[in-house]
């Protein structure tokens, strides 16, 4: 019964997460189109986007040039060059040369000074040449808020993890009060290439050593 309930809750929460990520990606595609059409007036258009439905989720819009230097952020006027060429969400697009959504590990913003997850798309020239990165920054707590309202018992936890096993969102802190967001889980089996797309399991958490029964679904689109 417990495993069946876990599977039901996992599927239900996935039905919420999928459109949330899709909405952020659609916003990225729209912003990228606006930037490509007229970079000069992009700041004004980006300010208008901040009043949209996703403005409460993503606190920062940023544009990074092909050289890795910050071109625009809605948080401040870019006066001194900020080099982001070492960031994973820049390097992955420069190296992949594929028009795909990327969801970063939690990083500390060099302009915002906030911990956030970067949702990014490459900026491509008309000949499909890499021209930079469009990014939306989502505060690490924002994705966790919805899961804190889910009753999974005193020691129950809801987590969102990447295929890299790094936690992007979690409904509960560690017993010592510290956040587990950004930590890497140790259960490798669920993340192996031949693991099923959905599953139920009993395990001892590698994050807080609590024995649990649980369920997971992969987000196939992401």
């Amino acid at each position: 019964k417990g495993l069946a309930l876990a599977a039901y809750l996992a599927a239900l929460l996935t039905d919420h997460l999928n459109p949330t990520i899709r909405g952020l990606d659609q916003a990225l595609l729209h912003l990228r189109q606006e930037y490509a059409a007229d970079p000069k007036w992009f700041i004004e258009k980006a300010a208008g986007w901040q009043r949209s439905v996703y403005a409460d989720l993503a606190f920062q819009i940023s544009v990074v040039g092909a050289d890795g230097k910050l071109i625009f952020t809605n948080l401040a006027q870019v006066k001194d060059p900020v080099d982001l060429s070492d960031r994973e969400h820049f390097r992955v697009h420069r190296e992949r040369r594929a028009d795909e959504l990327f969801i970063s590990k939690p990083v500390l913003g060099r302009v915002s000074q906030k911990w956030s997850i970067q949702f990014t798309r490459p900026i491509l020239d008309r000949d499909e040449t890499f021209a930079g990165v469009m990014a939306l920054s989502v505060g690490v707590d924002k994705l966790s808020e919805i899961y804190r309202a889910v009753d999974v018992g005193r020691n129950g936890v809801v987590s969102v993890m990447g295929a890299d096993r790094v936690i992007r969102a979690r409904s509960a802190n560690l017993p010592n009060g510290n956040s587990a967001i950004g930590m890497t889980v140790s259960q490798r089996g669920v993340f192996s290439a031949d693991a099923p797309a959905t599953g139920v399991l009993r395990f001892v958490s590698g994050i807080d050593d609590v024995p649990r029964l649980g369920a997971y679904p992969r987000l196939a689109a992401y």
Side-chain angles (χ1 to χ4, degrees), residues 24 47-60 137 142:
L24 287 164
W49 178 87
Q50 287 174 269
R51 294 187 290 271
S52 75
V53 66
Y54 284 95
D56 63 336
L57 188 59
F59 67 85
Q60 180 177 211
S137 303
K142 281 292 184 179

Side-chain angles (χ1 to χ4, degrees), residues 6 36 45 52 73 98 113 146 157 190:
K45 294 172 182 177
S52 75
T73 169
Q113 294 299 303
I146 184 66
V157 173
V190 171

Side-chain angles (χ1 to χ4, degrees), residues 93-104:
H93 291 303
R94 182 182 60 188
E95 295 164 8
R96 277 185 190 171
R97 302 298 174 92
D99 190 3
E100 298 173 340
L101 174 70
F102 179 73
I103 303 172
S104 80

Side-chain angles (χ1 to χ4, degrees), residues 12 34 92 127 194:
L12 193 67
E34 294 287 300
V92 74
D127 61 356
D194 56 352

